[in-house]
Amino acid sequence: MSGLLSTQYVQGVYIPSALLIVGTAIVKKEWLPFAAALAVVLGAWKAYGNVPRKVLKPNEFQEFPLKEKTILSHNTAIYRLALPRQTDILGLPIGQHISLAATIAGKEVVRSYTPISSDEDHGYIDLLIKSYPTGNISKHVASLAVGQTIKVRGPKGAMVYTPNLVRHFGMIAGGTGITPMLQIIKAILRGRAAGDKTEVDLIFANVNPEDILLKEDIDAIAAKDPKFRVHYVLNNPPENWAGGVGFVTADMIKAKLPAPASDVKILMCGPPPMISALKKATEGLGYQKARPVSKLEDQVFCF
């Protein structure tokens, strides 16, 4: 239930106001007008406090504390950062990302990340981060204890998803490059009831089976939504593997993703060498040439 009949309004506004008025009527009826006025004032204050507040500031870093850490593998975890209020939302448009910053060895280092949570989630943001041996920010975040803070700024990025932006998305993700794809996929799924008809085919490439991040979540979406299909690719597949093997090739793209068309967009996110090879492959298949820095209108968009 949402809106004016949500639990937060019923329990936080309507019930206390009713108790105040009824109690006043029992004790002293002539005080009823004052009690009613007080109930209105307190109710309005409470309702205002329950309105979601966007906390992101594009030109200013803010410090958010680590609230929770969920370990997925030896080098990957979901980091939950607490927002100032339980009713706060990040205020991040679908398709955009945030900057994390930390002072490391006396120097400020900044990196971009896409949350796997959304503005449907109040009071926190979730970040899926893989810690690399040479990754300054990823190692720093991995070292944080609950209660310690990290600097956050945003939103940033050229992609802003709106329902039915295209007829069909072809997505290619490598490793943690799944995060912006998942953000858009979840938004499409939420928008089905309101008429979002976008189809999605996702090629998700990893080295080993255990590297496939959030596989259960992705498979659950595919089982629920017939317009979303996922195609896994592994460098080191197990026996009886039914998915793709090796690197993502032009043949894989041609077989699994939508053909070039004016209402088709290819989204890509992954390690730089992978993206470089995919740009050449998509151009060879007849998609528009990817720009060095992608724009929203581009047919091939690289995060």
Side-chain angles (χ1 to χ4, degrees):
M1 190 179 294
S2 61
L4 295 177
L5 294 179
S6 65
T7 302
Q8 64 182 12
Y9 284 108
V10 172
Q11 296 181 353
V13 179
Y14 304 142
I15 292 177
S17 298
L19 290 174
L20 174 62
I21 293 172
V22 171
T24 303
I26 294 172
V27 175
K28 203 163 187 177
K29 289 185 178 179
E30 54 266 36
W31 289 356
L32 270 176
F34 302 102
L38 181 59
V40 169
V41 171
L42 292 177
W45 176 79
K46 183 71 175 179
Y48 175 78
N50 282 331
V51 173
R53 181 185 64 158
K54 297 179 180 180
V55 298
L56 270 183
K57 297 179 181 179
N59 300 313
E60 180 184 334
F61 278 110
Q62 302 175 81
E63 295 202 9
F64 297 146
L66 178 64
K67 179 180 180 181
E68 189 178 326
K69 178 178 178 179
T70 303
I71 296 174
L72 301 182
S73 69
H74 69 284
N75 62 359
T76 306
I78 296 174
Y79 299 88
R80 176 163 292 185
L81 305 182
L83 301 181
R85 300 177 188 169
Q86 290 187 350
T87 54
D88 285 343
I89 59 174
L90 195 57
L92 184 71
I94 299 300
Q96 299 210 319
H97 48 275
I98 60 176
S99 294
L100 298 188
T103 302
I104 301 170
K107 190 175 182 181
E108 186 173 69
V109 181
V110 181
R111 293 290 183 273
S112 297
Y113 292 92
T114 302
I116 57 172
S117 55
S118 72
D119 285 349
E120 300 293 311
D121 304 302
H122 292 200
Y124 67 88
I125 57 172
D126 283 342
L127 296 168
L128 174 66
I129 298 179
K130 185 172 184 177
S131 180
Y132 295 95
T134 57
N136 289 326
I137 288 290
S138 63
K139 282 198 300 183
H140 175 78
V141 174
S143 72
L144 291 177
V146 171
Q148 291 185 300
T149 61
I150 185 78
K151 295 177 183 177
V152 178
R153 184 178 67 189
K156 58 183 293 188
M159 169 60 68
V160 178
Y161 178 74
T162 52
N164 298 306
L165 178 67
V166 293
R167 174 181 57 85
H168 200 158
F169 274 124
M171 299 180 176
I172 310 174
T176 52
I178 190 63
T179 56
M181 310 304 179
L182 202 55
Q183 186 193 51
I184 293 173
I185 290 164
K186 287 181 176 179
I188 292 171
L189 195 66
R190 289 195 301 269
R192 290 295 192 217
D196 196 332
K197 300 177 181 178
T198 310
E199 287 195 57
V200 178
D201 277 281
L202 165 68
I203 295 177
F204 189 15
N206 290 276
V207 178
N208 303 303
E210 59 270 22
D211 297 324
I212 304 176
L213 301 171
L214 303 175
K215 187 176 187 298
E216 288 185 5
D217 294 353
I218 295 168
D219 289 344
I221 296 172
K224 183 178 180 180
D225 193 323
K227 290 189 175 182
F228 170 68
R229 295 164 291 272
V230 59
H231 316 281
Y232 295 107
V233 178
L234 291 176
N235 279 8
N236 302 318
E239 289 186 20
N240 303 317
W241 172 250
V245 177
F247 296 116
V248 178
T249 65
D251 287 341
M252 287 183 191
I253 296 171
K254 187 175 182 179
K256 304 298 185 182
L257 302 189
S262 60
D263 54 359
V264 162
K265 193 181 290 287
I266 303 298
L267 306 181
M268 304 190 299
C269 188
M274 174 184 177
I275 297 304
S276 179
L278 291 175
K279 284 182 177 181
K280 295 175 183 177
T282 50
E283 185 180 0
L285 290 170
Y287 299 95
Q288 293 173 8
K289 183 178 181 179
R291 289 194 245 196
V293 179
S294 295
K295 304 292 185 183
L296 178 61
E297 62 270 18
D298 292 352
Q299 186 176 55
V300 177
F301 186 98
C302 303
F303 287 97

